[in-house]
Amino acid sequence: MINYEQIAKSYQAGVNAVSEFTLSIAEGELLAIIGPSGCGKTTVLKMLNRLVEPTSGRILLNGEDIRTLDPIALRRNMGYVIQQVGLFPHMNILENITVVPDILGWPLEKQRIRAYELLELIDMNPSEFARRYPYQLSGGQQQRIGVLRALAADPAVILMDEPFGAVDPLTRTKLQQELKTLQTQLHKTILLVTHDIDEAFRLADRVLLMQGGRIVQLGRAAELLDHPATPFVREYVGGHRMQACL
Ligand code: ADP
Ligand code: MG
């Protein structure tokens, strides 16, 4: 469904943020991208919704080169969840969830039904929450609304960049379980960037580990653990495992 073909990106001449990046993602797959800060994870994500343009190579979405697609339309068809939730403070929860459907011109009643359906999906009572404002929600609840907003127009692809990075560990675990449940029901294609290896291992079908803008290893969690491709993989994955155990 998604193909990165020999992608390179350099923000400054001579320095590659991403190099020789080739990757295929299947429809309905949840792929986690992990790696040290600055290794190119966010760049890989942003190239898919054209917030960043590659320096070379091409990206196909359902066989179509995304450069031939209108970037605005492309972004509306791709959910995007980031750490700094970015709910609009002057809009209530219902309006925040339906930002994209509203832009797409859905009738108001259809928007309301969709927002209620999504709130119910994560056990937030719509009659209680729909008319609240973001400041009347906890951090974890706001982050949930960020996820619902990404789902609102029912995009096939969802990009998540450290979506749960800013919430406390307990809430984080809850949100992870919720995402897993949502994924079982909705079968979205999800690219999840995280620095939390346990999150990646718990949620993803496959895990991609990057280092210095390159793919070091791609596989199931167990493969990275049992058959690390390089000493770096062993250290990176193993070290965090050790931490988790401690
Ligand atoms: P990650 O998300 O893994 O932390 P990024 O994709 O954000 O990594 O960044 C990869 C590299 O590209 C880093 O060295 C970063 O400093 C650089 N970089 C990212 N965005 C820009 C930009 N807009 N201009 C210049 N350099 C950038
Ligand atoms: Mg990043």
Side-chain angles (χ1 to χ4, degrees), residues 12-228:
Q12 305 156 258
V15 189
N16 270 10
V18 171
S19 314
E20 293 177 36
F21 192 92
T22 296
L23 169 70
S24 294
I25 302 155
E27 189 169 353
E29 180 171 21
L30 198 162
L31 177 85
I33 304 176
I34 59 173
S37 183
C39 73
K41 305 181 294 295
T42 294
T43 302
V44 164
L45 220 58
K46 284 185 169 174
M47 287 191 291
L48 191 54
N49 66 6
R50 296 190 61 191
L51 289 173
V52 167
E53 298 288 352
T55 307
S56 62
R58 59 174 196 165
I59 301 176
L60 305 181
L61 177 64
N62 297 318
E64 273 188 293
D65 188 332
I66 61 169
R67 275 173 306 190
T68 65
L69 306 173
D70 171 38
I72 307 291
L74 179 74
R75 266 166 237 153
R76 279 179 200 153
N77 289 317
M78 239 177 238
Y80 190 38
V81 188
I82 51 174
Q83 183 175 318
Q84 309 79 354
V85 135
L87 295 184
F88 299 109
H90 59 287
M91 287 163 55
N92 68 29
I93 297 311
L94 186 146
E95 291 162 337
N96 266 287
I97 293 174
T98 55
V99 165
V100 175
D102 193 52
I103 294 171
L104 295 173
W106 290 22
L108 284 178
E109 182 56 13
K110 186 178 169 195
Q111 291 185 32
R112 191 196 61 78
I113 290 169
R114 178 63 174 156
Y116 274 45
E117 175 186 286
L118 287 167
L119 283 165
E120 273 160 9
L121 204 58
I122 59 162
D123 292 322
M124 282 176 80
N125 183 359
S127 53
E128 187 182 344
F129 288 100
R131 306 290 160 185
R132 285 203 199 174
Y133 283 83
Y135 76 91
Q136 296 168 311
L137 266 55
S138 71
Q141 289 170 334
Q142 291 186 31
Q143 199 61 42
R144 286 190 171 87
I145 302 304
V147 174
L148 296 189
R149 183 173 59 183
L151 289 167
D154 206 20
V157 179
I158 299 180
L159 311 179
M160 308 184 99
D161 197 343
E162 314 257 5
F164 312 135
V167 297
D168 63 272
L170 256 178
T171 308
R172 190 183 180 114
T173 309
K174 196 145 183 274
L175 290 174
Q176 289 167 353
Q177 283 162 356
E178 211 163 80
L179 178 64
K180 190 83 191 167
T181 310
L182 279 177
Q183 175 61 356
T184 330
Q185 294 173 24
L186 305 177
H187 304 290
K188 300 292 181 188
T189 306
I190 301 179
L191 275 74
L192 169 72
V193 164
T194 178
H195 59 250
D196 181 340
I197 291 178
D198 289 303
E199 178 169 297
F201 282 9
R202 206 172 298 148
L203 297 178
D205 300 306
R206 288 189 302 165
V207 177
L208 174 75
L209 175 57
M210 294 181 66
Q211 180 188 27
R214 291 165 193 274
I215 298 174
V216 203
Q217 191 164 0
L218 169 64
R220 298 188 163 275
E223 291 174 80
L224 271 73
L225 278 170
D226 299 341
H227 306 286

